[in-house]
């Protein structure tokens, strides 16, 4: 089935609603018109019967004509009122003889209009009594239709009925045009999304009108989403390229060492050196691959990292002890740990603490200090690692959490530039965040907050 455009559907709905609205309005107008008519109808009835009564009283010839049935039917028609004349016995003696049922109804002189139904239609009639010169009573009965029928009235307003279809066609045309204009931004959004899909160019953006309406806001939100996607894709590309680069170096070293071993190593001692170098590069690659895998697994959630209720105080104390043993510089590591337990993944929390203390030792100054603190604030556990080492420059500080980011100064050291990125990811995995404050030459303070439950 052919797809009906949104523009067409909206115009159709618009026209339908307008049609219903017009019909309701028309019926309402007719009703109001009818009720206003009622008073007019009763007045006409009163006037016509009263006029007949007066004429009977004052016009002798007329009286005689009535008695002898000489008057034509039209003489008994006043406006829309039909007149019937009855004698005192209630016999129909003159006037229109159209409604035998009406003749059955007893004449009265109450003068009040009465509503009755004849041939399925409503009528008002009223009786007025008068007296002839000879002393005979006569009754004049006037009758008038109680309401104008709606269809008749509507057809009498043929102009409205003729204008209505024209109005609806115009409404449909106008609706179609206006909807088209309103939906233009939607077409833009679709076109841009299509261009991105077919060309893969994530730098394209939807043009915004800036008028702040819902569609403009939608376009802005989609643009912001494209910004985020573009940023993420770029970071992903950068990450892949950095990872390949980091892996290429040890692979090149391994290949070069192997070639040297085959071609030039003459002694067992030289071969052992080659093997040792290959092993060192192998460890480096294995460490890097382990970290890369960890990033991917945390991101994709493919690896299940179970959380258990953990004594953070004991965990951090144990890491501090280990780090003291392997510290290469003469740096004092002190702990100030409040008793805190949290529902965490032990392996991750150990890695996080090791990375922070390792950095503090690596970039710390000889005879300096590293202070490790643990406290809690509301439902968060707070880990702080402070040192009085090299500090981080203002330009580097915003980037230290990026994967493979290393300040120029620290390129000569052993790290890979992944430690802090992992710290941040672990903190986020535990519903928290990682922050750093630092002043170049004075030291740094890293704070990690993680949710306890
Ligand atoms: P790396 O393996 O280079 O240590 P990280 O991700 O752990 O990678 O750290 C990124 C960069 O942040 C480091 O290269 C270093 O420049 C800086 N940095 C991290 N910790 C400290 C610290 N305690 N003192 C000074 N600089 C630091």
């Amino acid at each position: 089935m052919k797809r009906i455009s949104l523009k067409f559907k909206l115009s159709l709905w618009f026209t339908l609603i307008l049609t219903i609205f017009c019909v309701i309005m028309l019926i309402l107008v007719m009703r109001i018109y009818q009720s206003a008519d009622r008073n007019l109808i009763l007045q006409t009835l009163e006037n016509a019967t009263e006029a007949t009564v007066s004429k009977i009283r004052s016009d002798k010839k007329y009286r005689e004509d009535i008695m002898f049935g000489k008057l034509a039917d039209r003489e008994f028609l006043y406006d829309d009122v039909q007149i019937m004349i009855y004698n005192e016995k209630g016999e129909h003696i003159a006037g229109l003889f159209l409604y035998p049922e009406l003749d059955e109804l007893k004449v009265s002189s109450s003068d009040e209009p009465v509503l009755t139904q004849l041939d399925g239609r409503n009528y008002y009639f009223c009786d007025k009594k008068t007296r002839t010169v000879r002393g005979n009573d006569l009754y004049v009965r006037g009758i008038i239709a109680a309401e104008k029928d709606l269809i008749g009235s509507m057809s009498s307003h043929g102009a409205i009925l003729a204008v209505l279809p024209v109005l609806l066609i115009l409404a449909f045309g106008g609706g179609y045009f206006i909807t088209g204009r309103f939906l233009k931004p939607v077409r833009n959004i679709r076109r841009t999304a299509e261009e991105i899909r077919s060309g893969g160019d994530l730098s394209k953006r939807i043009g915004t009108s800036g008028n702040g309406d819902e569609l403009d806001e939608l376009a802005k939100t989609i643009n912001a989403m494209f910004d985020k996607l573009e940023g993420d894709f770029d970071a992903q590309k950068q990450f892949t390229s950095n990872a390949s680069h980091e892996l290429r170096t040890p692979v090149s070293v391994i290949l070069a060492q192997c070639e040297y071993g085959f071609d030039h190593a003459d002694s067992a001692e030289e071969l052992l050196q080659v093997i040792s170098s290959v092993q060192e590069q192998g460890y480096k690659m294995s460490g890097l691959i382990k970290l890369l895998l960890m990033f991917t697994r945390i991101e994709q959630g493919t690896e299940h990292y179970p959380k258990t209720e953990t004594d953070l105080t004991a965990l951090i104390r144990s890491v501090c002890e280990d780090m003291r043993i392997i510290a290469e510089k003469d740096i004092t590591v002190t702990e100030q740990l409040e008793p805190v337990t949290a529902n965490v993944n032990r392996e991750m929390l150990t890695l996080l603490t090791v990375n922070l203390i390792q950095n503090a030792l690596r970039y710390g100054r000889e005879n300096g200090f590293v202070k490790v603190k643990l406290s809690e604030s509301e439902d968060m556990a707070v880990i702080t690692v402070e040192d009085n080492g090299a500090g981080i420059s203002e330009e580097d500080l915003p980037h230290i959490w990026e994967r493979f980011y290393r300040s120029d100064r620290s390129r000569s050291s052993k790290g890979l530039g992944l430690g802090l990125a992992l710290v941040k990811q672990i903190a986020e995995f535990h519903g928290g965040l990682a922050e750093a404050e630092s002043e170049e030459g004075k030291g740094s303070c890293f704070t990690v907050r993680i949710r306890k439950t």
Side-chain angles (χ1 to χ4, degrees), residues 359 362-363 387 392 400 405-407 410 415-417 419-420 444:
N359 275 351
R362 188 180 286 162
Y363 304 108
D387 66 68
I392 305 162
I400 54 171
Y405 186 83
R406 314 195 64 212
S407 72
S410 47
L416 286 167
L420 287 182
S444 316

Side-chain angles (χ1 to χ4, degrees), residues 321-338:
E321 275 160 17
D322 293 348
M323 298 308 287
R324 259 189 220 107
I325 297 166
I326 58 166
E328 287 169 3
K329 293 179 193 162
D330 191 7
I331 294 177
T332 317
V333 180
T334 56
E335 307 111 70
Q336 198 180 316
L337 310 174
E338 285 176 21

Side-chain angles (χ1 to χ4, degrees), residues 301-367:
T302 48
E303 180 90 334
H304 189 56
Y305 288 100
K307 289 184 187 172
T308 48
E309 201 61 22
T310 305
D311 180 353
L312 284 185
T313 321
L315 185 146
I316 295 175
R317 182 165 293 125
S318 146
V319 171
C320 287
E321 275 160 17
D322 293 348
M323 298 308 287
R324 259 189 220 107
I325 297 166
I326 58 166
E328 287 169 3
K329 293 179 193 162
D330 191 7
I331 294 177
T332 317
V333 180
T334 56
E335 307 111 70
Q336 198 180 316
L337 310 174
E338 285 176 21
V340 180
T341 54
N343 190 31
V344 296
N345 178 272
R346 286 186 67 88
E347 189 198 343
M348 282 186 174
L349 253 287
T350 309
L351 204 60
L352 179 146
T353 322
V354 166
N355 274 331
L356 289 179
I357 303 177
Q358 203 171 45
N359 275 351
L361 292 171
R362 188 180 286 162
Y363 304 108
R365 72 165 59 142
E366 204 64 52
N367 298 317

